[in-house]
Amino acid sequence: MLDRCRCGASLIGIPTEHVAEDELRLQIAFQGALAGQAQEGAPSLSVAAWIRLFHRVAALFDAERESRSGQIPGLHRLDLAIAVNRQLASLLAAWPAGFHRYLGDLQRRAEPSFSLVRTFGRLYRWLYRDFEGGEFAFLREAFEDYLREHWWGLLCRRNRRLGTRTINSRKTVHAIAEAAGTTPARVRQLHLAGWVEADIAAQPCGRHAWSFPASQVEPLATLIADGLTLKEAAAYLWLPKHRVRELITAGMIKPLLSTERDGSATWLISKHQLDDLGRAYLAGQAPVAEEEHPDYVPLVQILKAWRLEAGAFPAMLHALQLGVLAPVLGSDVENTVLGDLLLPRRRVQAWLAHWRQASGSDYSITDVATILSIKAQVAYHLVRSGLLESTSSPQAQVRRVSRDGIEKFEARYISLVEIAKRLGTSPKQALHRLQIHPVAGPAIDGCRQYFYLRSDVEHLLDQPPQPQESGNAEP
């Protein structure tokens, strides 16, 4: 009677059950244990160990029996046995990936706690009590591998069941700060700023417990060793501190910790980032002896003596990066810092005047002289005499001229040099020809150039240029 079981059930009429590949491999491994044959790629367990594993998995996935001991009833039924087989296959699939996924689900569902028992419940007790012995060592090893990589709590000597390597995989904030050579407060700030990995759990008393992977000691120590305060960064770049702050505000320096953003008592700025900042303006430049360029001035001197307004310094560095301005390098290129860059004085002055004109900024009197093509001494005299409007701020004891002030001056006044050029003659001959009283000049108020009201000479400028008188002309 090959078509019937001894109980009378028809073997032909049983419906076919389609199962996943992992479920099939698990049953083949169990049948191999029954036959005393180990299966490649499957745990090497005895029949008793397989049965214990099936029973524990059945209880593990039964939420109603979480707090009850004893066997799961009905395991002899085919539908329940198939369900347990599917659950165990999901844990053993792509070992240990399936087991780690299950542990991750348990950890996400549990309340944040540093207790392994509260987080993993019965499974933790079973791994070190019911699954003792060498046969189940693969389960404990996979569990501790997960803890070393994903567990948020501390693993200390009170966790006597765990291995030494697992116990030393996490550190408290004080322990990791001591190992990295810094303070616990600085470690917490670096974590909150996103530089250090850590886990925080709220305890029932309201306190927060911090836990750091031991792997974070080395990167944390590197951050601390590479970090500079604002004062140290300014000295390292040979720049005033307020200029370093200006670069931070412009986003050209991104500090690891900020006193404003992160609430840190001191700044923490990466030294390597400052090195990269300096090298960005030296790329492609060939070393040139400084004595060959006497009209070059260090960047730090420009910042200290030229009274640059807000935004001019970052714009100048941007011009250096684009190649609009090119520094001259000394022989020791490797040790050249940002503040020591040598820049062409006249090129920088011309660029600065153009930048101020384009940005609508106020100008120094020296820059106004460049724009009007006059001597700086003449520009200062025009400001003192009130012909060129200027302003002075209480903070900076220096007068500035706005773009509007320059345009008003050009619309109202005209120099003798420009009049002579438009008449096609020399300034000396134009001065004798004009029967108009100038508003400023050597004979008027001591100004080194003559200036006229444009409205007084406009009718003369519209006339065609007069031919030059020749000394050989007949009387």
Side-chain angles (χ1 to χ4, degrees):
M1 300 294 292
L2 298 179
D3 60 342
R4 289 190 177 276
C5 177
R6 287 182 298 177
C7 66
S10 173
L11 300 177
I12 299 176
I14 295 177
T16 303
E17 288 285 346
H18 295 280
V19 297
E21 190 68 25
D22 293 333
E23 301 174 42
L24 180 60
R25 278 198 297 267
L26 177 60
Q27 280 299 304
I28 294 175
F30 181 56
Q31 291 178 14
L34 291 172
Q37 300 174 353
Q39 298 295 319
E40 184 179 356
S44 180
L45 300 177
S46 63
V47 174
W50 274 114
I51 293 175
R52 187 187 307 174
L53 190 57
F54 273 110
H55 277 268
R56 287 292 176 258
V57 168
L60 195 63
F61 284 90
D62 190 348
E64 296 180 358
R65 301 183 62 86
E66 185 172 354
S67 59
R68 297 166 58 188
S69 59
Q71 300 292 337
I72 301 298
L75 282 180
H76 63 281
R77 289 168 39 197
L78 185 60
D79 56 343
L80 186 56
I82 290 175
V84 174
N85 184 76
R86 182 176 297 115
Q87 292 159 352
L88 180 56
S90 68
L91 292 182
L92 300 180
W95 185 259
F99 187 48
H100 284 181
R101 279 195 300 271
Y102 176 72
L103 294 175
D105 291 340
L106 289 179
Q107 188 171 350
R108 282 188 292 272
R109 289 198 300 265
E111 292 291 333
S113 170
F114 281 0
S115 170
L116 294 174
V117 176
R118 291 195 190 99
T119 302
F120 299 106
R122 299 174 294 175
L123 177 61
Y124 175 63
R125 294 193 297 270
W126 290 345
L127 286 174
Y128 293 94
R129 187 181 64 190
D130 291 8
F131 293 145
E132 292 180 335
E135 284 186 302
F136 296 108
F138 74 101
L139 288 174
R140 295 189 295 273
E141 290 173 0
F143 177 70
E144 295 190 19
D145 287 342
Y146 175 85
L147 293 182
R148 285 192 292 271
E149 186 173 356
H150 302 290
W151 176 239
W152 53 44
L154 297 172
L155 300 171
C156 51
R157 292 180 181 177
R158 65 175 180 166
N159 303 107
R160 296 184 300 273
R161 295 168 173 171
L162 304 179
T164 305
R165 191 161 67 97
T166 304
I167 289 176
N168 296 328
S169 63
R170 308 289 298 192
K171 289 184 177 294
T172 64
V173 63
H174 289 84
I176 197 170
E178 182 179 359
T182 185
T183 62
R186 179 53 56 93
V187 174
R188 293 188 183 97
Q189 290 163 356
L190 287 171
H191 165 69
L192 295 175
W195 296 105
V196 178
E197 179 185 345
D199 292 296
I200 307 172
Q203 297 179 340
C205 62
R207 296 180 58 188
H208 289 80
W210 292 64
S211 169
F212 295 82
S215 59
Q216 293 294 296
V217 173
E218 184 175 352
L220 178 59
T222 301
L223 287 174
I224 297 301
D226 184 49
L228 299 174
T229 64
L230 182 65
K231 182 178 180 180
E232 292 169 341
Y236 188 75
L237 292 175
W238 287 19
L239 296 176
K241 284 200 304 183
H242 72 279
R243 293 300 182 183
V244 178
R245 282 180 176 272
E246 191 173 358
L247 295 182
I248 293 174
T249 303
M252 304 183 77
I253 295 178
K254 295 179 173 57
L256 303 175
L257 289 179
S258 167
T259 57
E260 301 166 358
R261 182 192 66 227
D262 306 309
S264 174
T266 58
W267 293 82
L268 192 65
I269 302 171
S270 170
K271 185 189 300 181
H272 288 293
Q273 185 184 159
L274 300 184
D275 291 337
D276 294 339
L277 181 68
R279 294 191 196 100
Y281 312 116
L282 302 178
Q285 301 297 324
V288 181
E290 297 179 18
E291 55 269 16
E292 297 179 8
H293 296 271
D295 196 35
Y296 277 68
V297 58
L299 176 59
V300 64
Q301 183 176 339
I302 294 175
L303 298 177
K304 288 182 178 180
W306 287 24
R307 302 181 184 273
L308 300 182
E309 58 271 46
F313 179 37
M316 186 183 300
L317 293 186
H318 187 60
L320 283 168
Q321 192 171 12
L322 295 178
V324 177
L325 296 174
V328 168
L329 310 183
S331 56
D332 192 5
V333 178
E334 291 297 327
N335 296 323
T336 301
V337 295
L338 186 60
D340 198 31
L341 288 181
L342 290 175
L343 301 177
R345 185 191 306 271
R346 294 180 182 178
R347 288 286 303 275
V348 174
Q349 288 174 341
W351 172 86
L352 194 57
H354 180 271
W355 176 81
R356 285 166 172 163
Q357 183 176 4
S359 60
S361 303
D362 292 340
Y363 301 89
S364 68
I365 298 177
T366 304
D367 293 330
V368 172
T370 303
I371 295 173
L372 297 178
S373 300
I374 58 178
K375 299 289 186 181
Q377 184 179 355
V378 175
Y380 276 102
H381 184 91
L382 294 174
V383 169
R384 287 194 298 269
S385 64
L387 299 180
L388 182 60
E389 296 179 3
S390 63
T391 58
S392 177
S393 62
Q395 295 81 7
Q397 300 299 321
V398 62
R399 304 199 71 82
R400 309 286 296 181
V401 180
S402 66
R403 182 62 194 172
D404 184 59
I406 296 175
E407 292 176 353
K408 287 181 179 180
F409 177 83
E410 290 180 319
R412 189 172 185 184
Y413 302 104
I414 185 170
S415 68
L416 179 63
V417 174
E418 185 177 350
I419 293 173
K421 187 183 298 183
R422 294 180 62 173
L423 292 178
T425 185
S426 66
K428 186 176 181 180
Q429 290 179 348
L431 179 63
H432 290 298
R433 182 183 301 178
L434 292 173
Q435 301 299 319
I436 300 172
H437 188 74
V439 294
I444 306 300
D445 57 1
C447 183
R448 296 185 62 180
Q449 283 186 241
Y450 282 103
F451 287 89
Y452 293 83
L453 284 172
R454 189 178 289 271
S455 58
D456 292 343
V457 301
E458 198 69 40
H459 65 285
L460 299 175
L461 301 179
D462 295 335
Q463 297 178 4
Q466 298 293 326
Q468 294 280 349
E469 295 184 359
S470 175
N472 297 328
E474 296 182 1

PDB file of all heavy atoms in Angstrom, residues 416-421 423-436 452 460:
ATOM      1  N   LEU A 416      41.765 120.527 -15.547  1.00  0.00           N
ATOM      2  CA  LEU A 416      42.400 121.224 -16.661  1.00  0.00           C
ATOM      3  C   LEU A 416      43.042 120.233 -17.628  1.00  0.00           C
ATOM      4  O   LEU A 416      43.038 120.460 -18.847  1.00  0.00           O
ATOM      5  CB  LEU A 416      43.443 122.209 -16.114  1.00  0.00           C
ATOM      6  CG  LEU A 416      44.217 123.019 -17.164  1.00  0.00           C
ATOM      7  CD1 LEU A 416      43.262 123.922 -17.962  1.00  0.00           C
ATOM      8  CD2 LEU A 416      45.316 123.852 -16.506  1.00  0.00           C
ATOM      9  N   VAL A 417      43.544 119.141 -17.103  1.00  0.00           N
ATOM     10  CA  VAL A 417      44.164 118.131 -17.968  1.00  0.00           C
ATOM     11  C   VAL A 417      43.138 117.558 -18.944  1.00  0.00           C
ATOM     12  O   VAL A 417      43.409 117.403 -20.143  1.00  0.00           O
ATOM     13  CB  VAL A 417      44.787 117.008 -17.102  1.00  0.00           C
ATOM     14  CG1 VAL A 417      45.310 115.884 -17.989  1.00  0.00           C
ATOM     15  CG2 VAL A 417      45.889 117.559 -16.223  1.00  0.00           C
ATOM     16  N   GLU A 418      41.930 117.262 -18.445  1.00  0.00           N
ATOM     17  CA  GLU A 418      40.903 116.706 -19.335  1.00  0.00           C
ATOM     18  C   GLU A 418      40.419 117.758 -20.330  1.00  0.00           C
ATOM     19  O   GLU A 418      40.147 117.441 -21.500  1.00  0.00           O
ATOM     20  CB  GLU A 418      39.733 116.190 -18.498  1.00  0.00           C
ATOM     21  CG  GLU A 418      38.676 115.476 -19.335  1.00  0.00           C
ATOM     22  CD  GLU A 418      37.562 114.896 -18.492  1.00  0.00           C
ATOM     23  OE1 GLU A 418      37.694 114.886 -17.247  1.00  0.00           O
ATOM     24  OE2 GLU A 418      36.545 114.481 -19.086  1.00  0.00           O
ATOM     25  N   ILE A 419      40.335 119.016 -19.891  1.00  0.00           N
ATOM     26  CA  ILE A 419      39.920 120.081 -20.816  1.00  0.00           C
ATOM     27  C   ILE A 419      40.922 120.206 -21.951  1.00  0.00           C
ATOM     28  O   ILE A 419      40.560 120.290 -23.131  1.00  0.00           O
ATOM     29  CB  ILE A 419      39.789 121.420 -20.044  1.00  0.00           C
ATOM     30  CG1 ILE A 419      38.628 121.351 -19.042  1.00  0.00           C
ATOM     31  CG2 ILE A 419      39.571 122.575 -21.017  1.00  0.00           C
ATOM     32  CD1 ILE A 419      38.538 122.562 -18.135  1.00  0.00           C
ATOM     33  N   ALA A 420      42.227 120.205 -21.598  1.00  0.00           N
ATOM     34  CA  ALA A 420      43.264 120.326 -22.618  1.00  0.00           C
ATOM     35  C   ALA A 420      43.223 119.149 -23.588  1.00  0.00           C
ATOM     36  O   ALA A 420      43.400 119.319 -24.810  1.00  0.00           O
ATOM     37  CB  ALA A 420      44.630 120.432 -21.946  1.00  0.00           C
ATOM     38  N   LYS A 421      42.986 118.002 -23.094  1.00  0.00           N
ATOM     39  CA  LYS A 421      42.931 116.814 -23.961  1.00  0.00           C
ATOM     40  C   LYS A 421      41.773 116.923 -24.945  1.00  0.00           C
ATOM     41  O   LYS A 421      41.910 116.596 -26.128  1.00  0.00           O
ATOM     42  CB  LYS A 421      42.784 115.563 -23.104  1.00  0.00           C
ATOM     43  CG  LYS A 421      42.872 114.265 -23.875  1.00  0.00           C
ATOM     44  CD  LYS A 421      42.648 113.064 -22.966  1.00  0.00           C
ATOM     45  CE  LYS A 421      43.706 113.001 -21.894  1.00  0.00           C
ATOM     46  NZ  LYS A 421      43.545 111.786 -21.044  1.00  0.00           N
ATOM     47  N   LEU A 423      40.378 119.704 -25.961  1.00  0.00           N
ATOM     48  CA  LEU A 423      40.610 120.824 -26.878  1.00  0.00           C
ATOM     49  C   LEU A 423      41.786 120.562 -27.813  1.00  0.00           C
ATOM     50  O   LEU A 423      42.056 121.373 -28.710  1.00  0.00           O
ATOM     51  CB  LEU A 423      40.861 122.103 -26.074  1.00  0.00           C
ATOM     52  CG  LEU A 423      39.669 122.652 -25.281  1.00  0.00           C
ATOM     53  CD1 LEU A 423      40.077 123.894 -24.495  1.00  0.00           C
ATOM     54  CD2 LEU A 423      38.500 122.972 -26.214  1.00  0.00           C
ATOM     55  N   GLY A 424      42.499 119.494 -27.585  1.00  0.00           N
ATOM     56  CA  GLY A 424      43.627 119.169 -28.446  1.00  0.00           C
ATOM     57  C   GLY A 424      44.814 120.073 -28.230  1.00  0.00           C
ATOM     58  O   GLY A 424      45.546 120.379 -29.189  1.00  0.00           O
ATOM     59  N   THR A 425      45.032 120.492 -26.993  1.00  0.00           N
ATOM     60  CA  THR A 425      46.145 121.381 -26.689  1.00  0.00           C
ATOM     61  C   THR A 425      46.791 120.945 -25.389  1.00  0.00           C
ATOM     62  O   THR A 425      46.396 119.928 -24.777  1.00  0.00           O
ATOM     63  CB  THR A 425      45.665 122.841 -26.588  1.00  0.00           C
ATOM     64  OG1 THR A 425      46.791 123.688 -26.402  1.00  0.00           O
ATOM     65  CG2 THR A 425      44.670 123.029 -25.457  1.00  0.00           C
ATOM     66  N   SER A 426      47.777 121.694 -24.929  1.00  0.00           N
ATOM     67  CA  SER A 426      48.455 121.371 -23.683  1.00  0.00           C
ATOM     68  C   SER A 426      47.739 122.052 -22.528  1.00  0.00           C
ATOM     69  O   SER A 426      47.042 123.057 -22.716  1.00  0.00           O
ATOM     70  CB  SER A 426      49.913 121.844 -23.737  1.00  0.00           C
ATOM     71  OG  SER A 426      49.978 123.262 -23.788  1.00  0.00           O
ATOM     72  N   PRO A 427      47.897 121.521 -21.302  1.00  0.00           N
ATOM     73  CA  PRO A 427      47.262 122.163 -20.149  1.00  0.00           C
ATOM     74  C   PRO A 427      47.702 123.618 -19.971  1.00  0.00           C
ATOM     75  O   PRO A 427      46.883 124.472 -19.591  1.00  0.00           O
ATOM     76  CB  PRO A 427      47.715 121.290 -18.986  1.00  0.00           C
ATOM     77  CG  PRO A 427      47.972 119.960 -19.587  1.00  0.00           C
ATOM     78  CD  PRO A 427      48.529 120.233 -20.951  1.00  0.00           C
ATOM     79  N   LYS A 428      48.975 123.933 -20.258  1.00  0.00           N
ATOM     80  CA  LYS A 428      49.461 125.300 -20.085  1.00  0.00           C
ATOM     81  C   LYS A 428      48.771 126.252 -21.050  1.00  0.00           C
ATOM     82  O   LYS A 428      48.334 127.355 -20.672  1.00  0.00           O
ATOM     83  CB  LYS A 428      50.977 125.329 -20.290  1.00  0.00           C
ATOM     84  CG  LYS A 428      51.602 126.674 -19.984  1.00  0.00           C
ATOM     85  CD  LYS A 428      53.114 126.595 -20.102  1.00  0.00           C
ATOM     86  CE  LYS A 428      53.758 127.937 -19.763  1.00  0.00           C
ATOM     87  NZ  LYS A 428      55.237 127.882 -19.865  1.00  0.00           N
ATOM     88  N   GLN A 429      48.646 125.841 -22.334  1.00  0.00           N
ATOM     89  CA  GLN A 429      47.971 126.688 -23.315  1.00  0.00           C
ATOM     90  C   GLN A 429      46.479 126.797 -23.015  1.00  0.00           C
ATOM     91  O   GLN A 429      45.870 127.866 -23.190  1.00  0.00           O
ATOM     92  CB  GLN A 429      48.185 126.117 -24.718  1.00  0.00           C
ATOM     93  CG  GLN A 429      49.621 126.251 -25.215  1.00  0.00           C
ATOM     94  CD  GLN A 429      49.797 125.651 -26.589  1.00  0.00           C
ATOM     95  OE1 GLN A 429      48.918 124.943 -27.082  1.00  0.00           O
ATOM     96  NE2 GLN A 429      50.927 125.960 -27.218  1.00  0.00           N
ATOM     97  N   ALA A 430      45.877 125.694 -22.554  1.00  0.00           N
ATOM     98  CA  ALA A 430      44.451 125.748 -22.215  1.00  0.00           C
ATOM     99  C   ALA A 430      44.200 126.698 -21.053  1.00  0.00           C
ATOM    100  O   ALA A 430      43.185 127.411 -21.024  1.00  0.00           O
ATOM    101  CB  ALA A 430      43.956 124.352 -21.879  1.00  0.00           C
ATOM    102  N   LEU A 431      45.124 126.741 -20.086  1.00  0.00           N
ATOM    103  CA  LEU A 431      44.960 127.626 -18.951  1.00  0.00           C
ATOM    104  C   LEU A 431      44.984 129.097 -19.400  1.00  0.00           C
ATOM    105  O   LEU A 431      44.197 129.913 -18.907  1.00  0.00           O
ATOM    106  CB  LEU A 431      46.077 127.369 -17.932  1.00  0.00           C
ATOM    107  CG  LEU A 431      46.065 128.247 -16.671  1.00  0.00           C
ATOM    108  CD1 LEU A 431      44.791 128.004 -15.870  1.00  0.00           C
ATOM    109  CD2 LEU A 431      47.306 127.977 -15.817  1.00  0.00           C
ATOM    110  N   HIS A 432      45.876 129.450 -20.341  1.00  0.00           N
ATOM    111  CA  HIS A 432      45.947 130.828 -20.834  1.00  0.00           C
ATOM    112  C   HIS A 432      44.751 131.159 -21.723  1.00  0.00           C
ATOM    113  O   HIS A 432      44.312 132.318 -21.769  1.00  0.00           O
ATOM    114  CB  HIS A 432      47.247 131.047 -21.621  1.00  0.00           C
ATOM    115  CG  HIS A 432      48.469 131.048 -20.755  1.00  0.00           C
ATOM    116  ND1 HIS A 432      48.671 131.981 -19.761  1.00  0.00           N
ATOM    117  CD2 HIS A 432      49.555 130.233 -20.729  1.00  0.00           C
ATOM    118  CE1 HIS A 432      49.818 131.750 -19.154  1.00  0.00           C
ATOM    119  NE2 HIS A 432      50.394 130.689 -19.742  1.00  0.00           N
ATOM    120  N   ARG A 433      44.228 130.171 -22.448  1.00  0.00           N
ATOM    121  CA  ARG A 433      43.117 130.432 -23.360  1.00  0.00           C
ATOM    122  C   ARG A 433      41.808 130.635 -22.606  1.00  0.00           C
ATOM    123  O   ARG A 433      40.957 131.425 -23.008  1.00  0.00           O
ATOM    124  CB  ARG A 433      42.997 129.273 -24.349  1.00  0.00           C
ATOM    125  CG  ARG A 433      41.896 129.476 -25.382  1.00  0.00           C
ATOM    126  CD  ARG A 433      41.765 128.255 -26.286  1.00  0.00           C
ATOM    127  NE  ARG A 433      43.019 127.974 -26.978  1.00  0.00           N
ATOM    128  CZ  ARG A 433      43.183 126.943 -27.803  1.00  0.00           C
ATOM    129  NH1 ARG A 433      42.174 126.111 -27.994  1.00  0.00           N
ATOM    130  NH2 ARG A 433      44.331 126.743 -28.400  1.00  0.00           N
ATOM    131  N   LEU A 434      41.604 129.863 -21.536  1.00  0.00           N
ATOM    132  CA  LEU A 434      40.331 129.932 -20.809  1.00  0.00           C
ATOM    133  C   LEU A 434      40.237 131.246 -20.023  1.00  0.00           C
ATOM    134  O   LEU A 434      41.136 131.600 -19.257  1.00  0.00           O
ATOM    135  CB  LEU A 434      40.212 128.746 -19.839  1.00  0.00           C
ATOM    136  CG  LEU A 434      40.065 127.361 -20.476  1.00  0.00           C
ATOM    137  CD1 LEU A 434      40.126 126.286 -19.403  1.00  0.00           C
ATOM    138  CD2 LEU A 434      38.758 127.271 -21.244  1.00  0.00           C
ATOM    139  N   GLN A 435      39.190 131.974 -20.224  1.00  0.00           N
ATOM    140  CA  GLN A 435      38.930 133.209 -19.482  1.00  0.00           C
ATOM    141  C   GLN A 435      37.898 132.929 -18.390  1.00  0.00           C
ATOM    142  O   GLN A 435      36.946 133.687 -18.196  1.00  0.00           O
ATOM    143  CB  GLN A 435      38.435 134.287 -20.454  1.00  0.00           C
ATOM    144  CG  GLN A 435      39.404 134.614 -21.559  1.00  0.00           C
ATOM    145  CD  GLN A 435      40.737 135.158 -21.035  1.00  0.00           C
ATOM    146  OE1 GLN A 435      40.754 135.971 -20.089  1.00  0.00           O
ATOM    147  NE2 GLN A 435      41.840 134.723 -21.623  1.00  0.00           N
ATOM    148  N   ILE A 436      38.101 131.810 -17.681  1.00  0.00           N
ATOM    149  CA  ILE A 436      37.142 131.349 -16.657  1.00  0.00           C
ATOM    150  C   ILE A 436      37.921 131.124 -15.365  1.00  0.00           C
ATOM    151  O   ILE A 436      39.032 130.589 -15.375  1.00  0.00           O
ATOM    152  CB  ILE A 436      36.434 130.056 -17.112  1.00  0.00           C
ATOM    153  CG1 ILE A 436      35.674 130.296 -18.425  1.00  0.00           C
ATOM    154  CG2 ILE A 436      35.497 129.553 -16.023  1.00  0.00           C
ATOM    155  CD1 ILE A 436      35.124 129.046 -19.040  1.00  0.00           C
ATOM    156  N   TYR A 452      37.725 123.018 -12.791  1.00  0.00           N
ATOM    157  CA  TYR A 452      36.710 124.003 -13.181  1.00  0.00           C
ATOM    158  C   TYR A 452      35.328 123.415 -12.981  1.00  0.00           C
ATOM    159  O   TYR A 452      35.141 122.173 -12.963  1.00  0.00           O
ATOM    160  CB  TYR A 452      36.881 124.397 -14.648  1.00  0.00           C
ATOM    161  CG  TYR A 452      38.141 125.165 -14.945  1.00  0.00           C
ATOM    162  CD1 TYR A 452      39.350 124.501 -15.144  1.00  0.00           C
ATOM    163  CD2 TYR A 452      38.120 126.552 -15.051  1.00  0.00           C
ATOM    164  CE1 TYR A 452      40.507 125.202 -15.425  1.00  0.00           C
ATOM    165  CE2 TYR A 452      39.282 127.266 -15.333  1.00  0.00           C
ATOM    166  CZ  TYR A 452      40.474 126.582 -15.510  1.00  0.00           C
ATOM    167  OH  TYR A 452      41.623 127.279 -15.787  1.00  0.00           O
ATOM    168  N   LEU A 460      32.638 125.373 -24.307  1.00  0.00           N
ATOM    169  CA  LEU A 460      33.926 125.369 -24.993  1.00  0.00           C
ATOM    170  C   LEU A 460      34.337 123.964 -25.424  1.00  0.00           C
ATOM    171  O   LEU A 460      35.008 123.783 -26.439  1.00  0.00           O
ATOM    172  CB  LEU A 460      35.015 125.959 -24.082  1.00  0.00           C
ATOM    173  CG  LEU A 460      34.807 127.422 -23.641  1.00  0.00           C
ATOM    174  CD1 LEU A 460      35.886 127.837 -22.658  1.00  0.00           C
ATOM    175  CD2 LEU A 460      34.826 128.343 -24.868  1.00  0.00           C
TER     176      LEU A 460
END
